[in-house]
Amino acid sequence: MTVHHWPDLHRGLDELRRVSRRQVVFTWDPGHRPELWLIEEYLPEIRRLEHARFTPLSTVVEALGAHTVLPFGIPHDFTDGFQIAYWRRPEFYLDALIRQASSTFAQLPPSVVEPAIARLRADLASGAWRRRHADLLEQESVDYGYRLLVAGDR
């Protein structure tokens, strides 16, 4: 989950091919829907930031020469801690330390993040978030567009 930080995608993928007969890249498809509720309801600024820095999935697939593209559903209890990991545990987004672990949150100014988190806190306290997202609370995993790309030896 780093290709969006690479200054030269093609050079990085060439290096993967140089050092390994098989390459696996974990990335995100910016064209995928649905989006995380946090983006839709609280922080649409994340959408602009992520779409500006993520290469379209088709471009990464082609540049890597991927022969396999696998959906990567995010389990409800995912422990990785990246931005999407807490889709069913919204209270985690209230924790500033958890938000600091996300490059997206780190790039957004507090003047944007703090009011959004205050709205989330109020919706959690009132039960509004749980009423709107009762369907999510029953799901074991969600596909938010993360993909494993496999290239090279099968």
Side-chain angles (χ1 to χ4, degrees), residues 2 7 14 55 59 78 82 85 93 114 116 121 132 140 146 148:
T2 63
D14 287 346
T55 304
T59 302
F78 202 44
F82 77 110
Y93 292 110
E114 290 171 8
R121 181 176 282 109
R132 272 196 316 273
E140 292 297 313
Y146 292 87
L148 284 173

Side-chain angles (χ1 to χ4, degrees), residues 36-110:
L36 176 65
W37 54 265
L38 183 71
I39 297 165
E40 292 286 334
E41 299 170 22
Y42 300 94
L43 284 163
E45 296 83 0
I46 289 176
R47 179 182 306 115
R48 287 188 289 279
L49 179 63
E50 298 290 53
H51 284 240
R53 66 187 189 154
F54 270 88
T55 304
L57 182 66
S58 60
T59 302
V60 181
V61 168
E62 183 179 327
L64 180 63
H67 53 71
T68 306
V69 178
L70 300 170
F72 187 90
I74 307 300
H76 73 91
D77 57 354
F78 202 44
T79 59
D80 180 271
F82 77 110
Q83 177 184 304
I84 217 84
Y86 307 110
W87 61 268
R88 200 173 100 173
R89 298 170 288 167
E91 61 281 353
F92 279 75
Y93 292 110
L94 302 179
D95 187 328
L97 289 175
I98 285 175
R99 292 193 310 271
Q100 286 174 358
S102 165
S103 62
T104 302
F105 277 109
Q107 292 181 350
L108 290 173

